[in-house]
């Protein structure tokens, strides 16, 4: 192990997984991968699994998908979530400006 690897390991939190994400962050990514398998509404599953409001969950998720470590852990999921977020931002901006998107 070289010096850079040993320093990176020291900087990780104690509960960090192999990709440098905390256990909670890994659980959030796993949930986003398979949330439709849970019975009921997604918001209800979020409240039960993570003990937080759906608003707070989406704030945490948006911060998470901007992390390089999340991209390393699950690149396809993170790209899909970023693409969905960008599309929603474009739609909201167009609606505010009165532009009809195709």
């Amino acid at each position: 192990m070289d010096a850079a690897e040993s320093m990176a390991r020291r900087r990780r939190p104690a509960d960090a997984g192999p990709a440098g994400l905390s256990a909670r962050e890994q659980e959030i990514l796993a949930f986003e991968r398979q949330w439709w398998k849970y019975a009921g509404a997604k918001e209800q599953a979020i409240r039960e699994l993570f003990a937080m409001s759906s608003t707070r969950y989406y704030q945490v998720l948006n911060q998470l998908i901007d992390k390089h470590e999340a991209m390393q852990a699950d690149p396809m999921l993170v790209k899909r979530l970023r693409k969905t977020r960008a599309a929603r931002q474009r739609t909201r901006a167009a609606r505010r400006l009165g532009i009809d998107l195709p």
Side-chain angles (χ1 to χ4, degrees):
M1 170 176 11
D2 64 1
E5 286 177 7
S6 97
M7 287 181 69
R9 285 187 180 187
R10 277 186 237 143
R11 276 188 247 133
R12 285 185 188 166
D15 62 344
L21 298 174
S22 70
R24 179 178 172 192
E25 291 171 332
Q26 291 175 7
E27 290 171 4
I28 289 173
L29 288 178
F31 177 76
E32 279 298 315
R33 223 177 286 119
Q34 300 179 348
W35 69 265
W36 61 86
K37 292 182 180 180
Y38 294 94
K42 184 176 182 181
E43 287 76 20
Q44 181 182 356
I46 290 168
R47 190 169 299 283
E48 291 173 4
L49 292 171
F50 301 108
M52 65 175 77
S53 70
S54 58
T55 302
R56 180 64 186 142
Y57 172 82
Y58 287 113
Q59 290 171 343
V60 171
L61 178 63
N62 278 314
Q63 291 174 351
L64 176 59
I65 64 175
D66 287 333
K67 287 187 173 184
H68 180 70
E69 293 87 354
M71 180 64 91
Q72 287 180 329
D74 196 339
M76 290 181 65
L77 173 67
V78 171
K79 286 178 187 178
R80 179 176 56 83
L81 292 171
R82 286 179 180 178
K83 188 176 180 179
T84 302
R85 178 180 63 183
R88 288 182 179 150
Q89 287 173 340
R90 277 193 304 276
T91 302
R92 279 194 305 272
R95 194 177 320 129
R96 276 195 305 266
L97 296 172
I99 299 170
D100 290 329
L101 293 177

